[in-house]
Amino acid sequence: MKIKKDYIISIVVILPSVILLGIFVYGFILNTVFVSLTDWGKGAGLKINPVINFVGFANYSDLFTSIIWQRFRQDMVNAVFYWLFILSGSLILGFFLAVLLDRYPRGESFFRTLFLYPFALSFIVTGTIWRWLFAPNGGFNVLPTLIKLPRIEFLWMSSRTSILNFNWQDIPLIITVFISLILFFVILRLIILKKNEIKLIIYSILFIIFFISFFIELFFAPPMINLKEMHGFNLASIGIIIAAVWQYSGYTMALYLAGLRGLPVSLYEAAKIDGASDMKFYLKIAIPNLWPITLSAIIIISHISLKIFALIFAMAGTDNAGTSHPSVLMYLTTFRANNFAFGASIAVLLLILSSLFTIPYLIYLYKQRTK
Amino acid sequence: MIKKFLTLFFVLFISLFLLLFYGCKKAESGRISQGIEKVKLTDEMPKGNLEIYSWWAGDEGPALESLISLYKSKYPDVTVINATVTGGSGVNAKAVLKTRMLGGDVPDSFQVHAGQELIGTWVAAERMLDLTPLYQSEKWMDVFPKDLIKLLGTKDGIWSVPVNIHRSNVMWYIPDNLKKWNIEVPKTIDNFFKAAEALKAKNIIPLALGENWTVNHLWESVALGVLGADKYDKLWRGELSWTGSDVVKVWETFGKVLSYTNKDSASLSWQQATDLVVNGKAAFNIMGDWASGYMSTTLKLKPGVDYNWAPSFGNSGVFMFLADSFGYPKGAKNPAAIIEWLKICGSKEGQDAFNPLKGSISSRKDSELSKYNDYAKSASKDFQSNRIVGSLTHGVVANEGFMNDFSTVMELFLKSMDPIKAANACQAIAIQNGMAK
């Protein structure tokens, strides 16, 4: 009887948030998925009752293959680079700052606040400040002239140069090669360790499949798109990356600092007695021990790299394709071009991208808890 | 047991909110009628609130204020709410407007570029009232030029009241500077290239350019210059192929023109691009005639003396226009006040108060030219005598879908500088947006 009463109370207590979440998060996700599978009134998408035809996955296949959506593909490439650089930048810089503060320098609490402060700003504020700093005729570019050096001519936000260019056509090939290589090394390891023969057989079969499909793609597969389409890392996005790293390295610093302070002193002392240098202690002992912190930092920063819309909007504007991101394109497609169906498709793809980070994390957390 | 209960619970609750969705949709469609509906004129004295939604802030703010104060002096009982969202050419305002309209928070009247931008978005969505009765009662059919009314309306009605006419294809310069540099104003595209070479040798930027939309703005002038008015019109009617040699030549020429512009263009606003010309760093700037308003009202320069103008190179004898207009959205709450507002927008008094400050000309044939500065007088003369075509960047000739996709094509072109690729992409977006087959 007692259990039942508790049970009812708990249901009643969580009911409001479940309903609100259900409508405003999951309900709208479902609605967006539905919109992405239709043509939503085509030109007249703003009608009260638009003419809706179900088109299946045509919008998605257009996004990845049609000539009109080249910008989407460049934006996806941009998103990967944003993720890579913002994540590694904030983690490395944050850890470095945390190590510095962990040594209790003079004014430690002052610097801790100083480094953490940017995190308290909104992206719009950060973006506005950094836009001024990166203006082609002011800020950073004229800084060297203060010490009589020639000024920098780099166009931070508007550069159209890109490096690491590759043909969009080659992406399946690149992915196949990448997976084959990973499988190859896994098999090698299994052979050397001489264990688990069933696994070895499974991996070998997978490897052969990927290896064959590599040749099929190379010689027989029809081209995905009929023009050569180069995408790469746009130098214009460096400015945005710097601003984002500036803002979030303080946050990772705080996480790491808490972690470092949480390590038992005996660990440090034991390492010292065994003759480890400070460098060796941080690299070989602190980093592995802080793995849970790194993991949650990865999840959070990865998410932020997907939510970078506001920073781009404030720093470079929406029309600057060099610094663009799928979320910016989603905004333009939906609210400027009235193309709700394609906007929804891009939004769904972004959702899938972000769930790539969260779902494994949730599973990991769940497993830890049940252990 | 608990799991089963939870599952049941979730299923119930999902079906509940689906019902809710359905209910919301029904409720909304009940409030705003569908189909074509004419405006109903009333004699009621307007009172209450009137919200005017526009992107006229900052430099263009005083012009709107003059219109609002005229309204207030006539109808002191009405509280006018001046809602502005900044951003050149309305880039931000239009997006905010869409969320408001979809959310049912309809402003009483909103600024919109006359032509396809209004028709392709709001008229196609059946969210505007037909203003034909208002046009008839105010006798606007006779005072506005016939070509203009044709562009404001469809076969079903007239959808907005134009407050002004702007010219898009104007080239601005400082006469003293040109004299100093010994450069003549180029009339043809070849002349421009010659002048540009000479200017480049003197280390002066031949053509000042600003952020992304001003690049599209430059494109329409170059396109008109290469194609000529007839082919330009045909292009928008879908009678000239985007992949044909004519349009490829437009892109080739445009690429060459771009090589004479400032490198930091993408980070400058249009005002900053105009500033480059004003302070002698650049020779020319192609911008709409709001640049005249900026130079005469904000920078206090004297038109015709401190700064001067000519049609864009290769554009002589053609007037590329755009117009700002106000319409009456369905679901707006204060009919009497809105109708009086629209009457003021179309009136001679209102237009002659608004336009001298805005740097534009009146869309009426009977405007009081003495109130205007020298630029506007010459523009009015051109408007009456020249061949008239519509602007792409400012929403006259193409719908918003095409305009947005065109910006993407422009970015691709700026990166690749490949005319044939750009022409092919244009054809594709024209098909996607229903402007070509």
Side-chain angles (χ1 to χ4, degrees):
Chain A
M1 206 54 215
K2 180 87 171 56
I3 296 172
K4 215 169 186 186
K5 198 180 160 196
D6 276 356
Y7 190 66
I8 290 169
I9 289 173
S10 66
I11 292 279
V12 169
V13 170
I14 63 166
L15 194 64
S17 53
V18 167
I19 289 181
L20 289 177
L21 273 181
I23 293 175
F24 292 108
V25 178
Y26 300 101
F28 282 104
I29 287 175
L30 281 182
N31 197 38
T32 307
V33 172
F34 167 69
V35 174
S36 77
L37 301 175
T38 69
D39 63 356
W40 203 264
K42 285 186 184 147
L46 289 160
K47 264 192 185 174
I48 290 159
N49 282 325
V51 185
I52 297 167
N53 297 311
F54 189 76
V55 295
F57 287 94
N59 294 341
Y60 293 95
S61 83
D62 264 13
L63 282 179
F64 283 101
T65 54
S66 132
I67 183 173
I68 304 169
W69 292 101
Q70 273 187 53
R71 175 157 173 193
F72 170 75
R73 292 177 306 255
Q74 176 61 53
D75 286 358
M76 287 300 266
V77 174
N78 283 357
V80 171
F81 281 115
Y82 274 132
W83 170 70
L84 203 65
F85 288 116
I86 292 175
L87 180 63
S88 51
S90 336
L91 286 184
I92 293 168
L93 191 63
F95 185 72
F96 179 68
L97 292 175
V99 167
L100 288 184
L101 289 184
D102 190 37
R103 318 303 304 259
Y104 288 103
R106 194 176 294 170
E108 186 258 355
S109 64
F110 168 74
F111 283 109
R112 200 175 28 172
T113 320
L114 191 76
F115 294 148
L116 192 55
Y117 189 67
F119 176 61
L121 299 176
S122 86
F123 262 151
I124 295 293
V125 177
T126 318
T128 311
I129 297 167
W130 283 90
R131 189 182 66 218
W132 293 333
L133 289 176
F134 285 136
N137 293 316
F140 270 171
N141 278 2
V142 294
L143 212 54
T145 57
L146 289 180
I147 48 168
K148 302 271 180 309
L149 285 172
R151 52 164 289 178
I152 307 168
E153 295 291 343
F154 186 60
L155 296 170
W156 289 94
M157 294 306 152
S158 45
S159 160
R160 294 192 192 281
T161 327
S162 66
I163 54 170
L164 305 172
N165 288 310
F166 61 89
N167 191 349
W168 181 258
Q169 197 67 66
D170 296 337
I171 279 199
L173 208 61
I174 294 169
I175 293 174
T176 324
V177 170
F178 189 68
I179 296 177
S180 310
L181 273 178
I182 291 177
L183 286 173
F184 181 71
F185 283 112
V186 169
I187 292 167
L188 261 187
R189 188 167 159 266
L190 286 174
I191 290 174
I192 291 167
L193 294 175
K194 279 186 188 157
K195 61 178 182 188
N196 213 334
E197 281 187 8
I198 302 164
K199 262 193 186 171
L200 184 65
I201 292 168
I202 294 171
Y203 282 125
S204 306
I205 292 170
L206 275 176
F207 176 70
I208 291 166
I209 291 171
F210 273 99
F211 200 68
I212 293 171
S213 65
F214 167 72
F215 281 102
I216 293 175
E217 276 167 26
L218 194 58
F219 297 112
F220 303 109
M224 198 160 57
I225 38 179
N226 45 19
L227 281 171
K228 198 175 154 195
E229 192 182 302
M230 301 305 286
H231 295 298
F233 174 59
N234 290 319
L235 294 187
S237 51
I238 290 178
I240 310 253
I241 291 168
I242 291 177
V245 168
W246 176 79
Q247 181 154 20
Y248 279 95
S249 54
Y251 176 63
T252 48
M253 177 213 72
L255 287 179
Y256 277 127
L257 193 59
L260 285 173
R261 296 270 159 88
L263 290 181
V265 186
S266 56
L267 212 60
Y268 180 70
E269 281 164 355
K272 277 278 149 187
I273 289 167
D274 285 346
S277 64
D278 278 355
M279 181 84 166
K280 227 173 194 163
F281 168 74
Y282 283 118
L283 288 181
K284 297 263 159 120
I285 297 171
I287 291 184
N289 270 304
L290 295 177
W291 171 242
I293 289 177
T294 311
L295 191 66
S296 48
I298 288 176
I299 301 298
I300 292 162
I301 303 287
S302 301
H303 251 218
I304 284 159
S305 85
L306 284 173
K307 289 196 270 189
I308 200 157
F309 175 88
L311 190 63
I312 297 172
F313 191 91
M315 278 181 86
T318 50
D319 287 305
N320 215 338
T323 56
S324 186
H325 186 270
S327 54
V328 176
L329 188 67
M330 196 286 284
Y331 167 79
L332 289 184
T333 311
T334 314
F335 295 109
R336 202 185 289 175
N338 306 331
N339 206 336
F340 294 95
F342 275 100
S345 310
I346 299 172
V348 169
L349 289 171
L350 275 172
L351 178 77
I352 293 171
L353 268 187
S354 66
S355 53
L356 283 183
F357 299 117
T358 38
I359 290 175
Y361 182 65
L362 290 177
I363 291 171
Y364 169 83
L365 278 187
Y366 185 72
K367 271 188 183 163
Q368 289 239 314
R369 216 174 292 161
T370 47
K371 258 182 213 164
Chain B
M1 178 60 204
I2 291 172
K3 270 191 181 163
K4 262 188 192 166
F5 187 85
L6 274 179
T7 332
L8 188 74
F9 175 74
F10 266 100
V11 169
L12 269 176
F13 138 79
I14 282 176
S15 45
L16 181 102
F17 81 73
L18 281 179
L19 269 175
L20 240 158
F21 257 154
Y22 189 70
C24 289
K25 273 225 167 105
K26 278 278 163 207
E28 195 197 2
S29 50
R31 206 169 59 242
I32 295 178
S33 62
Q34 291 175 58
I36 298 152
E37 197 184 313
K38 284 191 194 315
V39 66
K40 286 188 193 72
L41 303 179
T42 59
D43 291 329
E44 246 177 82
M45 193 62 190
K47 52 179 185 291
N49 291 335
L50 175 74
E51 186 184 11
I52 305 296
Y53 183 93
S54 75
W55 58 81
W56 285 324
D59 299 325
E60 291 154 322
L64 178 63
E65 277 303 326
S66 74
L67 211 52
I68 290 177
S69 61
L70 182 68
Y71 186 89
K72 276 181 184 160
S73 68
K74 277 195 170 173
Y75 307 104
D77 292 345
V78 181
T79 316
V80 181
I81 302 162
N82 181 6
T84 53
V85 175
T86 56
S89 208
V91 283
N92 304 325
K94 288 179 213 163
V96 175
L97 177 67
K98 275 168 207 167
T99 58
R100 287 192 55 176
M101 293 281 275
L102 286 177
D105 180 19
V106 181
D108 292 317
S109 187
F110 61 84
Q111 177 193 5
V112 64
H113 284 142
Q116 287 300 322
E117 191 175 305
L118 170 68
I119 292 163
T121 303
W122 297 117
V123 177
E126 296 173 353
R127 280 175 187 267
M128 302 302 288
L129 288 182
D130 173 18
L131 300 177
T132 314
L134 186 65
Y135 269 67
Q136 280 157 353
S137 80
E138 293 291 301
K139 304 196 171 53
W140 285 340
M141 291 296 198
D142 307 317
V143 278
F144 292 142
K146 285 229 151 38
D147 290 344
L148 183 64
I149 294 182
K150 220 181 274 169
L151 279 156
L152 294 174
T154 58
K155 62 177 175 23
D156 298 321
I158 304 171
W159 306 101
S160 65
V161 180
V163 280
N164 63 6
I165 294 289
H166 269 299
R167 185 175 191 175
S168 149
N169 58 341
V170 197
M171 186 161 66
W172 306 93
Y173 57 90
I174 306 292
D176 290 348
N177 283 347
L178 290 199
K179 217 176 278 164
K180 198 169 72 195
W181 298 324
N182 200 16
I183 297 285
E184 272 184 34
V185 181
K187 283 222 164 58
T188 65
I189 293 176
D190 290 332
N191 279 352
F192 169 75
F193 287 141
K194 258 180 225 147
E197 276 302 329
L199 286 163
K200 225 179 178 180
K202 292 190 177 95
N203 227 351
I204 293 152
I205 302 161
L207 193 64
L209 191 62
E211 63 193 327
N212 315 65
W213 68 267
T214 68
V215 181
N216 298 353
H217 187 106
L218 175 62
W219 186 89
E220 63 188 24
S221 271
V222 173
L224 180 59
V226 174
L227 294 175
D230 289 335
K231 280 186 181 167
Y232 181 85
D233 270 346
K234 275 188 183 166
L235 188 62
W236 303 116
R237 285 202 303 261
E239 292 163 12
L240 184 73
S241 166
W242 280 92
T243 47
S245 59
D246 288 322
V247 182
V248 173
K249 198 174 165 229
V250 169
W251 284 104
E252 277 167 6
T253 315
F254 182 65
K256 206 174 158 194
V257 170
L258 281 182
S259 68
Y260 293 111
T261 58
N262 43 319
K263 297 248 155 13
D264 60 350
S265 63
S267 37
L268 301 184
S269 65
W270 69 264
Q271 287 100 329
Q272 285 172 311
T274 310
D275 286 342
L276 282 181
V277 175
V278 171
N279 56 34
K281 284 188 183 143
F284 300 104
N285 176 223
I286 289 181
M287 186 35 62
D289 50 16
W290 44 93
S292 177
Y294 171 64
M295 285 189 275
S296 63
T297 311
T298 312
L299 300 182
K300 310 269 182 250
L301 299 177
K302 205 169 166 348
V305 181
D306 295 333
Y307 69 93
N308 213 339
W309 59 88
S312 307
F313 40 83
N315 283 205
S316 311
V318 190
F319 189 105
M320 191 188 287
F321 94 98
L322 59 122
D324 291 299
S325 63
F326 282 92
Y328 187 157
K330 284 182 188 175
K333 290 159 214 93
N334 197 345
I338 298 169
I339 287 167
E340 292 310 322
W341 165 255
L342 294 178
K343 279 182 188 166
I344 285 195
C345 287
S347 72
K348 189 173 162 182
E349 200 186 355
Q351 298 217 350
D352 286 345
F354 176 83
N355 286 312
L357 290 173
K358 177 77 163 66
S360 48
I361 58 176
S362 169
S363 54
R364 294 170 66 105
K365 287 188 279 193
D366 58 352
S367 76
E368 195 74 50
L369 277 182
S370 63
K371 285 187 177 171
Y372 291 80
N373 67 21
D374 291 347
Y375 167 73
K377 277 177 195 153
S378 96
S380 297
K381 216 176 85 199
D382 285 351
F383 187 57
Q384 276 150 26
S385 60
N386 279 1
R387 171 78 192 265
I388 311 259
V389 296
S391 152
L392 160 69
T393 319
H394 305 285
V396 183
V397 290
N399 58 35
E400 284 193 295
F402 184 89
M403 282 158 64
N404 177 65
D405 292 347
F406 187 81
S407 305
T408 304
V409 173
M410 183 58 79
E411 281 294 334
L412 296 179
F413 178 73
L414 292 175
K415 208 174 159 199
S416 68
M417 286 290 167
D418 185 341
I420 293 171
K421 229 183 198 174
N424 283 330
C426 276
Q427 175 76 4
I429 65 169
I431 291 169
Q432 163 151 321
N433 292 294
M435 293 176 51
K437 275 161 207 136

